[in-house]
């Protein structure tokens, strides 16, 4: 079930859609999600923005792998077509894809900020052998680098 906050939809989100948490079964033609420890109510576009952010990787981060506009709009159109099909909403318009693209990229910023702060916290509290301080720095730098561009989207 989902609702709205203003014009932005809210509902249950995974909140950690890195590629390792998305299982594609080609035999069954299905997609499943694992690792719901961060699952909770959130803006639905946060999951999509975070998913695109995660294309950059975690162990080796390369933000040039963030999908370009053409790829995102292609992906989002397929996503919206499935949502519209399941909810009998009719055809997906180009303006609907454009609006979602802007919303998703705004929330990709939120995901960078979220994971940057999360990693800073982990630096002080986690016993996991990972460079949380370095990861925090990378995510926060990317947030500030993209902020001007994507903040204008919403």
């Amino acid at each position: 079930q989902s609702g709205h906050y203003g014009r932005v939809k809210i509902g249950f989100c995974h909140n950690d859609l890195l590629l390792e948490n998305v299982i594609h079964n080609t035999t069954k033609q299905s997609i499943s999600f694992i690792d719901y420890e961060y699952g909770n109510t959130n803006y639905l576009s946060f999951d999509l923005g975070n998913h695109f952010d995660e294309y950059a990787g975690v162990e080796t981060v390369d933000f040039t792998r963030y999908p370009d506009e053409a790829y995102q709009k292609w992906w989002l159109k397929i996503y919206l077509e499935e949502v519209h099909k399941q909810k009998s909403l009719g055809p997906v318009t180009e303006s609907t894809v454009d609006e979602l693209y802007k919303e998703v990229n705004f929330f990709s910023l939120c995901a960078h900020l979220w994971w940057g702060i999360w990693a800073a916290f982990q630096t002080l509290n986690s016993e996991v052998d990972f460079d949380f301080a370095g990861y925090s720095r990378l995510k926060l730098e990317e947030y500030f680098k993209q902020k001007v561009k994507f903040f204008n989207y919403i």
Side-chain angles (χ1 to χ4, degrees):
Q1 183 165 341
S2 64
H4 290 81
Y5 182 76
R7 66 179 174 81
V8 182
K9 293 179 183 176
I10 58 172
F12 181 81
C13 290
H14 186 280
N15 293 316
D16 192 16
L17 285 180
L18 61 140
L19 297 178
E20 289 82 4
N21 289 340
V22 181
I23 309 301
H24 180 216
N25 184 324
T26 54
T27 306
K28 294 182 179 180
Q29 291 289 11
S30 66
I31 296 175
S32 302
F33 303 100
I34 61 170
D35 190 11
Y36 282 88
E37 69 183 291
Y38 296 107
N40 211 326
T41 302
N42 200 350
Y43 298 100
L44 299 179
S45 293
F46 177 90
D47 259 351
L48 301 176
N50 184 59
H51 177 67
F52 288 147
D53 284 351
E54 297 297 345
Y55 279 46
V58 175
E59 297 291 329
T60 304
V61 178
D62 178 2
F63 290 114
T64 64
R65 294 186 291 210
Y66 185 79
D68 65 17
E69 182 175 347
Y71 176 88
Q72 285 187 49
K73 286 184 175 181
W74 168 80
W75 194 99
L76 293 169
K77 183 176 184 205
I78 293 169
Y79 167 81
L80 285 168
E81 286 171 345
E82 187 60 32
V83 170
H84 281 224
K85 180 176 142 187
Q86 289 181 16
K87 295 184 176 188
S88 301
L89 296 175
V92 173
T93 65
E94 189 176 327
S95 66
T96 304
V97 174
D98 289 342
E99 274 300 307
L100 185 58
Y101 168 77
K102 291 174 182 178
E103 195 174 292
V104 163
N105 279 276
F106 171 79
F107 280 106
S108 79
L109 284 176
C110 297
H112 283 309
L113 187 60
W114 164 262
W115 291 114
I117 293 168
W118 172 87
F121 180 80
Q122 295 303 317
T123 298
L124 303 172
N125 296 289
S126 178
E127 295 179 17
V128 174
D129 183 23
F130 181 77
D131 181 13
F132 288 109
Y135 187 73
S136 175
R137 181 183 51 77
L138 288 171
K139 295 298 271 185
L140 293 173
E141 283 175 355
E142 189 66 10
Y143 166 80
F144 286 107
K145 179 180 171 187
Q146 299 298 334
K147 180 180 167 185
V148 172
K149 177 180 178 183
F150 293 143
F151 249 72
N152 292 327
Y153 280 176
I154 211 97

